Each structure stands twice: as structure tokens, then as C-alpha cells.
Amino acid sequence: MALFSSLAVVESLSVAAAAASSSSSSRGFQEPGSIHSAAARVWSGAGRMRGGAASSLVVRGSSSGTSKVTLLDYGAGNVRSIRNAIHLLGFNIREVTSPEDIGNAKRLIFPGVGSFKAAMDVLNSKGLAESLCAYIREDRPFLGICLGLQLLFDYSEEGFTEGLGIIPGTVARFDSSAGLRVPHIGWNGLQLKQPSQLLEGINGRHVYFVHSYRGVACEENKDWILATSRYGDDFISAIRKGNIHALQFHPEKSGVIGLDILRRFLDGGHSEAAKVCSTSVIFVLKWVIACLDVRSNDAGDLVVTKGDQYDVREQTSDREVRNLGKPVELAGRYFKDGADEVTFLNITGFRDFPLGDMPMLEVLRQASEHVFVPLTVGGGIHDFTDAHGRFYSSLEVAAEYFRSGADKISIGSDAVYAAEEYLHTGVKTGKSSLEQISYVYGNQAVVVSIDPRRIYVNDPSETPFRTIQVSKPGPNGEKYAWYQCTVKGGREGRQIGAYELSKAVEELGAGEILLNCIDCDGQGQGYDIELVQLVSEAVTIPVIASSGAGRLEHFSEVFHKTAASAALAAGIFHREEISITSVKEHMVQAGVDTRLL
């Protein structure tokens, strides 16, 4: 079967697999600190002894396809999307609940999520590591995804931890010293190094990455390398030997081309192997995010809304909540239109009882069945105590959203409070939601949403915070401004600047910054270029420009004039003033590299 040529294929598969998809249900909460407390297994030898030497792996022919696939889900991060993709493609899932389940597998997928050390701790404590190594040594059909690739190496600098020892070499962090933004988040190209049935048709196409560490190519592992990508330097983006495959990128988040890669693995890859070609590959792309502000309207229904400077009510006598559509329907539309990511921001829920907002969890579950690009969710993720006196940590709250389909968690007010404390004491307590979630799931899973407003001053000496010289004077002729961060949906200002906050949250574990601007929100006059550049220069993590887009030119402008990695918009998409397809086409015409369907 050739590469899917249209999303109509996805839609037809979705109908055919509806019954199978409905069987994928959310699991219960993990106990607090369950991953932290997983005891490391005692090693019987150093390095690659557990996995055996790579040369001992016996390559054999691919086995025939099966309607079932075994999934190794060790309980961290979002694997709902890979489950949904498997069901969509017409396959059923067998769960790994014991080491014996790995041994009995006919075809095994390992979607590793989170940090290297935490994952190895869980694999060791549950006795899964030995069975996994034995399965791979026998050259049985295996597909690792993201951390599922990295764990095959000897060693990782993340947590300074020994891996499974299947592939010789080291997993190292990207070097941000030369201005490279880490984590590497977004759409990147692949360069095939050997023929591949799995990656047929991939040359010149782009797939989705989200990681801070990568496998380092060396002489000892060159025979394993299937594809490389470039981010600063070349890194290993896919490996293959015999029936063993692993991908650094996320096929389940790479749109239609990613679904086709999964189908090839599930079908057994019977097509003729693709040849290595010299197609010119554009690597790092800029990406476009569709944002859905979700809240209950006055009738109690969840709707997508949009504010003007954070006021989401209509300017009428009734002052009803502005209703621009249904969350799941709009998310599906944006996926089909070419959005590189979809973000849900719950702007009124969660505040008192985050896990009581079951409708939002259901929005995530349903959206993840039809949207195969990254999903981010934010809104009041913090520690809380429910009406019955039961305490829930922010880690438990995040875990439920990951299990419901979120790939990344966006933290707002709670990150501001954590940054204030850190700047005051200079101590990382490890207790904030930002630090806890980053430790367990990796900083690539944590977005910090910043909501600043301009405060004009006549001279930088009037404030201790970083100022800019404004291109347009303030209301009283002021030539400078600083950006005051706010909490509680912009309703309360704090004595901390956007520049200082950004640097602090990066040190505390943020992997990405969603940079809003209260002054520009809903105005359609363009992004605050000066703010975006200020924060982009402050940090080495990706920055998403948000608030103010009203015309096609605003997207190319923010990428040409700042170091933003992505641009987010909401109202212009919801009101169908501009389509995502037209934005992408404009960006290409303006010389901004982006992904086209």
C-alpha cells in the first residue's frame, strides 16, 4: 500500500475501527511518587552485558502480520495516542503486565515516554528489562519510539544511567551553548542511510520530534543507523537491524505520514524496500499551533471561546460567553487543515478541583482519537485538596491528563509562584508542579504559559526588571517598558518581569515557553515582536509566539524578526478569517520553512 494520499483514508479507517477504539480506556491514578520510588535493579554486569553483545543478535526474516500487537506501557506519559493510532489502523492491543507477556509477543511496540533514569528504574523494578533484551536478541519484530530508542543504548547522560546495552554508544544532551534551542521540539526531516521498507517515501517529508537527548553516532553503531536528522549536528533519528526498528520521532504525532509508518510495521512491511535517495532535505521547520480556549458557557456546556484582552464575554446586555464552536470538532478540523500542534487552554476549569473537570478530560480523550499531531493542555495544574479532604499532587493531576491524551502540560500561575520563590531563595526545592512534572516526564513535556502586560517607564532605572526601548512611545511619551507577569488569567499582576520569569522557569525545568501578551490579545495587530525577541534572547528553550495575529503577514513577520520556534493563533482560525493552509502557504512564499500536507 502506498503512502496515504489524503486524510479521507484516515476518516474511513476511523469508522472501521470505531469499536476497537472504544475499548481504549483511561487507567486509574498512580500513587504519588510511584516512579520516584521505583527501586533500581541490581546489575549483574556493567554496560552491555545485560543485552548481550550487539554482534550476538541473529537477523532473521520478518514474521507474518498479525491482527494483534503487544504494547509495552510502563505507566509514564501519553501513550493514548499510539493506542488510538493502532486501533485506527485496525489492530488490537495486548498489554504487557508481566515479563512473560513480552516473551509471548509476536510484534512489540515500546513507546518510551519521560526521563531515561525513571524509565530504567521502572523496567528494572518490574523485571521487564531482561525479557525485553531477550526478545530483541532473538530478532523478533520490535518498534521503539522516542525513549524506546534511547533505552536501547549502553548509557545516557540523562541521569547518568546505564541502558539496556543493545546498541553500542551513548545518549547525550543536545548542546545549547551555541544557541541551539533545547529541547528539540517540532518538525524535522530525515535522511535515510540504508534501504527501508518501514520508511518508504520518507525522503523529503517531515516528522515530529520532542526530546532533549539523542543517540550519538559512532563507528561501533554505524550498522544500526537507519536515518539521521540535523539539529545543530546530525543525530540518530531511526535505527534498524533485522526486525528491530526504533524511531526517535513520534509517528503517532506525525500526521498521515506517521500513521503510514506505523501501518508498515504492523503489516510486517511486505512492500519492496525503499532505496536511499539524495533528495535535498529541509531540516528544522517553524510550526503553527491552533489554540482552543475552552470554558463552560452560561448553560454549562464546554465551548471554544476567544477573548479581547482576556475578556471572553460578548459586548451585549446579556454578556454571554462568546461561543466559537465545539472543542473536539474544531481540533479535528485544524488537524485536517495542517496544524502542526493543537493546544487546549481551559480558562476557567480546574482552579479549585482540577480532576473534577471530567468534561475536559473527555475532550482530550476524544480529540486524541482523531488528531495525530501533538496535543497540549493547560489551565490550573497544581496541588489541590478535594471536597472530601483527599490531597492530589500536581504530578497526579498531570498524570491523568497525560493518560487522557495530552502530550504536553502547560503550567501558568503555579510556575510564576515557583519562579518567584526560586528567585527569592536561590533554592530548587523540587516541590513545585513544574519541577515534579519535569523530573518524571522530562522537560520536553512541560510548557510554561506566560501572560505579561507592558508597563511603561521613562527610564530603566525606575524598575529592577529588564526593560526594552520601545519602537512606539507610551501613552505619556515613555521610551521604555518592562513586561509585568500576571496570574489568574491576567487578573492579578506580580512583581516579576517576563525576562526574569523566563530564565527562572527554564532553570526549574520548563522545556518550552508559550508567550502570550495581554496588550495584543484579540487585537489582530500582530504579535508583540519586542516581547518575543526579549524572551527568545533570555532562554535556550523554544518560544511560542502568541496573541495578536490578524493577517497572514504577521506569521512571517514574527519568524523573520525573532527567534520564535512556533506561532500560535486562535480567533482568526475559529472565525475562519484565515485558514491554517493559507498561513502555511504564505510562510513558504515568504521564505519560512514549514510543513505542508
Side-chain angles (χ1 to χ4, degrees), residues 41-52 120 124 130 154 161-165:
R41 191 170 179 273
V42 177
W43 283 69
S44 59
R48 294 163 57 224
M49 298 246 340
R50 169 173 24 209
M120 283 304 305
N124 288 325
E130 294 288 355
D154 286 337
T161 304
E162 291 174 310
L164 295 171

Side-chain angles (χ1 to χ4, degrees), residues 28 89 94 97 138 164 203 280 321 365 367 419 425 430-431 487 516 560 570 585 592:
L89 294 168
R94 286 180 173 145
T97 59
E138 294 171 5
L164 295 171
N203 275 300
S280 177
V321 172
R365 294 178 187 125
T425 65
K431 297 179 180 180
V487 295
N516 307 295
H560 283 314
E585 291 172 347
V592 179

Side-chain angles (χ1 to χ4, degrees), residues 181 498-500 502-503 506 533-540:
R181 297 196 177 274
Y499 179 89
E500 291 76 16
S502 300
K503 293 181 73 67
E506 179 179 16
Q533 190 58 21
L534 175 72
V535 172
S536 296
E537 292 174 351
V539 298
T540 63

